[in-house]
Each structure stands twice: as structure tokens, then as C-alpha cells.
Amino acid sequence: MTHQPTAAGPEAVTRTAPAPGRSPKTPGAGSGRPKRRGPGSNRHGSRWTPWLYLIPALVVLAGLLVYPIYQLGLISFLEYTQAQVSGGEPTTFKGFGNYRELFADEQFWQVLGATVLFAASCVVATLAVGCALAVLLTRIRALPRLLLMLAALGAWATPAITGSTVWVFLFDPDYGPVNRLLGLGDFSWTYGRYSAFALVLFEVVWCSFPFVMVTVYAGIKAIPTEVLEAASLDGASQWRIWRSITAPMLRPILVVVTIQSIIWDFKVFTQIYVMTNGGGIAGQNLVLNVYAYQKAFASSQYSLGSAIGVVMLLILLAVTLVYLRLIRRQGEEL
């Protein structure tokens, strides 16, 4: 069987040969195939895509956070007491009158100062205990380490009201075992102002140090062991290693746990309310959260209580902004 010559002669070869300086077209590269879109061609679509996924969460946050904050701020500008709640008197607009009354109250500044000092003491004690136990976790064997972490996580998982009740029983002047072990007799921890604050501080540190301990321990384990071994071989003490090597390398983690501890301890309510029976004798152990609760619900001055809540919100917002700025700066450094 012989092959028939094709009808295409030299002219066909000439037509199919690529011109000099031009690369031959790849198969399928004709006008019927869609062109690939370059980067940024769908820029507007990709810009709004993350927000579409965030819409459900934003709706929930708006209902649970934005609206209550709006109501809190609105009530703080009104004359809103039990008379207005029951409908006996109309609600009137006071503007900044509630804030002027609040800032003119000497007790408010005393409570604010006590809150700042108490929160600072809790933060320092929590960081000291948490960091010390984190270092201890790196020095002990596996089984004691596991037992210590389980005990700490158990304290962390205990509800605040349950832990406060247990601590009140432990330090009870009649039936508590602590006074018997220390030989204090019928000494009442909740009678004096400073002893009551100290008792609450113990409970706050007890339920807060596990977070610091676990976080700092994870940071220590991430430090290269060669650095610590080199410092030890050079004759540096453990305190010197911690101060000059470990702490600087843990600075981002320490900033995070410090700011979060400030936020948590500044708005303590349950421990103070339960352990001092609503703020102590004659309000000697009041903090801002308990003070706002007393103004709003015990005295039915809801507008003053809302004003205190707004002041606390602004203080914590300032702390949060500092926290975010530090995190952003550390992220840039890393």
C-alpha cells in the first residue's frame, strides 16, 4: 500500500513555519481558550471575601457587646432610678451630670485608688508565683511535673464562686484549719481591711497563677538549651540566667500575661463580693465592680452605676490599646 502525497507542497511548509524571532504557539493557545487573570484582577472580590465570612460573628458580637455598651452609655447620661424604672417619674436627660456627681464623690476616688493598688498587688503576686513555678517545672522530673500541672489546672478550672467559698471556710475563725495550724485562734481575716484584701489576694493568685505558669513554661521550653548551658558553663547563677537571658527572651510572653492579668484583676467582682460579704465592713473592701453593683442595684441609682461602668470600660480600653500596640510592635521586631 503506497502513501498518497499530500496536497500541501512547499507553500504549506512555508505557511506553517514560524517567522524568525517569534516563538511557535503552544497547542490550545488560540482565541477560544480563556486567558489567565493576572494578580489583582479580582482585587475587589478578594478584598470583601474575608468580611463575608466574618458577618455571622460580627452580628453576634453586635448583639452581645455593641448594644449593651450602647445602653450602658445611654443610661449614664439619663436620670434613671427606681422611680423611672417603675414609671412613676419620666426619664430625663442629665448629660454629664452623673459623671460630675461621680467625680465629686470622695468615696469614688478612694475606691478607684483601692482598686488600682489591689489589682497591681494581684498582678505582681500572680506573675511572681507563676514564673517561679514555671522555672520549677523545668527543674523537676516528669511525674512531679505532671502532678503539679494537674493541680494547677484544677485550681484554674475551679469556678470563682466555688473557690471563694472554699477559701472563706479555710480561713474561718471558728472552723477553719488555717488558724489552727498557724496558732491564730479566733482571728477574723475578713474583719480588718488589709487582712481581708490579703485573703482575697491569696484566692485571686491561687486561681490565676496557672495561666502564667503554663504560658511561661511553654516559652522557657522554646528557648534553645545551648544558650542556657553556655551561660551555666560560664558560671552564671540561676538568678543571673533568668535576669539576663531567660527574662529578655520571654519579654513578649511576659507582656501578654501581664496585660491580661491587669484586665482580669482590675475587674474582680466575685471574690470580693463573696469573701467580704459585699465589700467588707462599712465598704472598706470595695472595688469598682462591687461599688458599681451597690450603686446600681442596692441603691437603685442605675445611672450612677452605669457611669462607673463606663469609666471602667474606658480604663480597660486604654489598657487593651496599649496591649495591642505592644503586640504589634513585638510582631514587627520578630
Side-chain angles (χ1 to χ4, degrees):
M1 181 177 180
T2 59
H3 295 280
Q4 297 293 332
T6 58
E11 296 83 2
V13 176
T14 305
R15 287 196 302 268
T16 58
R22 297 178 58 185
S23 59
K25 297 183 179 180
T26 57
S31 59
R33 184 176 180 179
K35 297 181 179 180
R36 295 183 60 185
R37 296 180 178 180
S41 59
N42 196 23
R43 184 177 303 173
H44 296 285
S46 60
R47 180 186 304 174
W48 293 104
T49 299
W51 292 102
L52 295 177
Y53 289 105
L54 290 175
I55 285 177
L58 293 176
V59 171
V60 174
L61 289 177
L64 296 179
L65 292 178
V66 177
Y67 182 73
I69 292 175
Y70 163 75
Q71 287 292 335
L72 181 71
L74 178 62
I75 294 175
S76 68
F77 289 103
L78 303 175
E79 177 66 29
Y80 200 71
T81 61
Q82 187 61 38
Q84 284 76 27
V85 173
S86 60
E89 296 180 7
T91 302
T92 58
F93 182 75
K94 290 186 63 176
F96 290 96
N98 291 317
Y99 293 95
R100 287 193 294 266
E101 181 180 352
L102 181 65
F103 294 151
D105 186 5
E106 184 179 353
Q107 187 183 16
F108 167 74
W109 295 106
Q110 294 176 355
V111 173
L112 178 60
T115 304
V116 172
L117 292 177
F118 175 74
S121 301
C122 290
V123 170
V124 172
T126 302
L127 291 176
V129 174
C131 292
L133 291 178
V135 175
L136 178 63
L137 287 176
T138 62
R139 300 289 188 269
I140 58 180
R141 295 182 180 274
L143 182 58
R145 183 190 309 123
L146 177 62
L147 295 177
L148 178 57
M149 294 191 70
L150 290 177
L153 293 178
W156 192 16
T158 303
I161 189 170
T162 304
S164 301
T165 305
V166 170
W167 275 78
V168 168
F169 170 76
L170 292 176
F171 288 84
D172 185 83
D174 297 324
Y175 306 102
V178 175
N179 282 8
R180 296 180 182 180
L181 292 175
L182 299 179
L184 298 177
D186 58 350
F187 174 76
S188 177
W189 289 81
T190 58
Y191 183 79
R193 182 186 185 190
Y194 298 105
S195 60
F197 269 128
L199 180 60
V200 178
L201 183 144
F202 294 155
E203 201 280 335
V204 172
V205 173
W206 174 75
C207 66
S208 301
F209 83 86
F211 170 76
V212 178
M213 182 190 73
V214 174
T215 306
V216 175
Y217 173 71
I220 293 176
K221 297 300 290 184
I223 297 176
T225 56
E226 295 81 2
V227 178
L228 301 178
E229 291 177 355
S232 180
L233 291 176
D234 289 341
S237 63
Q238 294 298 325
W239 168 248
R240 179 72 177 182
I241 293 175
W242 166 263
R243 185 170 61 89
S244 302
I245 299 177
T246 308
M249 297 184 73
L250 293 178
R251 185 168 59 89
I253 295 178
L254 294 176
V255 170
V256 170
V257 297
T258 301
I259 299 298
Q260 290 187 347
S261 298
I262 291 174
I263 295 174
W264 293 341
D265 296 338
F266 189 81
K267 58 186 184 66
V268 165
F269 174 83
T270 305
Q271 291 88 342
I272 290 286
Y273 192 84
V274 172
M275 301 178 71
T276 64
N277 196 17
I281 301 173
Q284 64 181 1
N285 297 113
L286 284 176
V287 292
L288 278 181
N289 246 346
V290 181
Y291 184 59
Y293 176 84
Q294 288 190 353
K295 286 292 184 181
F297 298 100
S299 302
S300 298
Q301 296 177 325
Y302 302 105
S303 53
L304 279 179
S306 299
I308 299 172
V310 171
V311 172
M312 290 189 60
L313 177 64
L314 294 177
I315 294 175
L316 293 179
L317 181 61
V319 175
T320 304
L321 292 177
V322 173
Y323 164 71
L324 294 176
R325 184 176 180 181
L326 290 174
I327 291 298
R328 181 179 179 182
R329 182 181 301 175
Q330 291 163 4
E332 293 175 354
E333 292 176 358
L334 295 176

